[in-house]
Amino acid sequence: MAEHETSFKASVDLMFDRAAATLDLEPGLGDQIKANNNVYMVQFFVKFRDGYRIFRGWRAVHSEHRLPVKGGIRFAPSVNQDDVEALAALMSYKCAIVDVPFGGSKGGLCIDPRDYNEFELERITRRFAQELIKKGYIDPALNVPAPDMGTGAREMAWIVDTYRNLHPEDINAIACVTGKPSSQGGINGRVEATGRGVQYGIQEFFRHPADVKKAGLEGGLAGKSAVVQGLGNVGYHAAKFLQEEDDVKIVGILERDGALVSDTNISVEAVFQYIRENGGVKGFPDATFVEGGIRVLEAECDILIPAAMEGQITLQNAPRIQANVIAEAANGPVTFEADDYLREHGKVIIPDAYLNAGGVTVSYFEWIKNLSHIRFGRLDRRHEAHKGEQIIGAIEEMVGKPVPSHVRDKLTYGSNELDLVRSGLEDTMRVSYQNISEIYNSRDKVPDLRTAAFVIAIEKIAMAYTEMGL
Ligand code: GLU
């Protein structure tokens, strides 16, 4: 990020202030909401063959107006306390925006996971988890982590096992973390959830012609072009679904080692497989490779999807961004100054605190599943199918003809867990966008979708505090 620009944490706080200024909050309430309530910093060591290594990690708790607090744990060499606090704040706002009844938290361990083998990573993760559990920073009722950058279902399985060993009496132990493998109490559809939510969010934006027009575009999503930064879990799923299900043309892909561009359409799945086999995009046969690919953020396209990390669009490159819509799949990809600049120059940003909330939404479903100790759909799937058979029977009796098999198949289908998760996620993303768009279009003082989203978050959290009598 450019030296003179505000940090990630300051950016999130300034975005908060901009929205809070449009509201009539009681004095001091905004400051209470904005600040992190507490942060636990831990330093621990793990013994390896060649000696001890020391690790430093954090878990920040932002707002506890709802419990448990929720948010991922990231493993990255760049992790620091300020960023963890910014991410924890975004989690509180995110949950409020999509009506998920959690407060916000975030954890980070300063480590490059690529420097360790699986065995070593497991020991490090379990040690970090133990420290957090001891202090109540992992607990099914109080603080529930999930995957984030550099972590996934594997790490969550180690964490849940560590918690279970320390609390064998806790009947809800598996609800202490979400994003687990399905064999360990995870839920179907959690891995794809954030990317899927990005897809649903962009689809819903294109169902709002007035908002689409403000971005200088018209028509639906089909046929629009997009550039995506980062084919990690979020970027890969979002770009893949948009390409395969919505007819979006992917004309640029940025990765660690460079970028790919093409006038036609780059197959996301083919690039993803290529990266798996070759470690990067260089040499991919069906697109042009661009060395030091960051300039590809400035390529001509309708939708730019930064899905990598914070601070990618700054005042240095914002003036050259050509995309009409910036869909923030990552947390904090646009700095506060760049955000102002882009708005003033007619760009529309679909903000992170809304757009990437699909992950925590499905985490909420997983947590509920864990507390209820039963898989979604287990009780009603067959019942739903039998109802369909009865309807078919009645129709056939009335018209005296058999119902065609493709209709029969649809009517006698009972929803499984994945169907229900997708349905809940789609509904959440659609309704939340409608709420944001309504505020954006009806309040004069609200200049953009981000401010509208923050207004919703602040109003909800403020209401929770006020009603509690605090
Ligand atoms: N790490 C994800 C996020 O930033 C998911 C958090 C969760 O599921 O709790 O939203």
Side-chain angles (χ1 to χ4, degrees), residues 296-317:
V296 174
L297 287 177
E298 301 153 21
E300 198 182 324
C301 64
D302 300 312
I303 311 162
L304 174 61
I305 309 175
M309 58 188 301
E310 58 274 1
Q312 297 299 297
I313 301 172
T314 67
L315 273 188
Q316 290 189 349
N317 56 2

Side-chain angles (χ1 to χ4, degrees), residues 409-424:
D409 289 348
K410 277 195 188 143
L411 278 177
T412 56
Y413 182 80
S415 312
N416 61 30
E417 185 173 79
L418 184 60
D419 300 320
L420 296 169
V421 163
R422 286 193 182 148
S423 150

Side-chain angles (χ1 to χ4, degrees), residues 70-73 91 94 106 144-149 178 190 194 331 356-357 359-361 363:
K70 191 85 189 76
I73 290 185
M91 284 310 305
K94 205 181 285 194
K106 199 79 169 201
V144 180
D148 199 78
M149 198 189 289
T178 58
R190 176 62 184 84
T194 313
N331 287 310
N356 70 30
V360 75
T361 301
S363 277

Side-chain angles (χ1 to χ4, degrees), residues 12-254:
V12 174
D13 284 349
L14 285 165
M15 288 163 182
F16 179 99
D17 291 340
R18 189 171 57 197
T22 72
L23 298 170
D24 192 17
L25 292 179
E26 271 185 60
L29 187 53
D31 291 335
Q32 166 55 28
I33 297 172
K34 191 167 66 169
N36 269 266
N37 288 1
N38 52 80
V39 188
Y40 178 51
M41 192 278 282
V42 56
Q43 185 161 305
F44 60 91
F45 62 84
V46 177
K47 192 174 179 194
F48 294 103
R49 261 170 211 267
D50 57 349
Y52 293 104
R53 281 208 218 145
I54 294 172
F55 299 90
R56 180 173 287 194
W58 294 265
R59 183 89 182 152
V61 172
H62 178 255
S63 178
E64 295 161 286
H65 64 289
R66 296 265 185 271
L67 286 174
V69 291
K70 191 85 189 76
I73 290 185
R74 68 169 52 179
F75 286 1
S78 57
V79 161
N80 60 62
Q81 181 169 335
D82 268 8
D83 287 0
V84 171
E85 287 187 32
L87 290 159
L90 275 179
M91 284 310 305
S92 297
Y93 309 144
K94 205 181 285 194
C95 292
I97 291 163
V98 293
D99 225 1
V100 161
F102 294 143
S105 182
K106 199 79 169 201
L109 185 66
C110 194
I111 181 181
D112 188 342
R114 285 169 305 177
D115 292 346
Y116 298 90
N117 63 34
E118 186 166 3
F119 173 76
E120 293 167 337
L121 269 179
E122 177 172 351
R123 290 184 60 210
I124 299 164
T125 306
R126 283 180 182 273
R127 273 287 283 128
F128 186 35
Q130 244 174 38
E131 296 301 326
L132 297 179
I133 293 164
K134 276 198 303 208
K135 302 281 180 193
Y137 281 84
I138 298 180
D139 182 306
L142 300 175
N143 196 327
V144 180
D148 199 78
M149 198 189 289
T151 58
R154 182 183 65 172
E155 286 73 14
M156 302 307 117
W158 295 332
I159 293 175
V160 76
D161 188 58
T162 308
Y163 183 89
R164 231 178 348 215
N165 288 338
L166 290 169
H167 294 283
E169 76 297 343
D170 187 345
I171 195 172
N172 292 320
I174 56 166
C176 76
V177 65
T178 58
K180 300 178 290 291
S182 38
S183 60
Q184 299 292 322
I187 196 166
N188 283 304
R190 176 62 184 84
V191 176
E192 64 168 45
T194 313
R196 187 61 84 184
V198 170
Q199 176 198 23
Y200 290 151
I202 295 176
Q203 284 176 350
E204 191 58 23
F205 170 80
F206 277 93
R207 288 192 197 101
H208 287 69
D211 298 352
V212 174
K213 198 168 165 211
K214 284 185 185 158
L217 291 171
E218 56 184 32
L221 179 54
K224 295 286 185 291
S225 59
V227 166
V228 58
Q229 181 192 31
L231 282 198
N233 183 40
V234 180
Y236 162 63
H237 283 107
K240 177 183 161 74
F241 297 147
L242 286 164
Q243 178 169 64
E244 294 176 3
E245 298 171 14
D246 297 303
D247 264 336
V248 170
K249 249 176 22 176
I250 303 294
V251 295
I253 295 177
L254 291 87

Side-chain angles (χ1 to χ4, degrees), residues 337-365:
E337 287 86 351
D339 180 84
D340 264 346
Y341 181 93
L342 291 166
R343 182 187 51 255
E344 279 157 20
H345 290 80
K347 310 291 184 191
V348 169
I349 299 179
I350 311 179
D352 50 3
Y354 156 69
L355 193 65
N356 70 30
V360 75
T361 301
V362 175
S363 277
Y364 169 46
F365 302 155

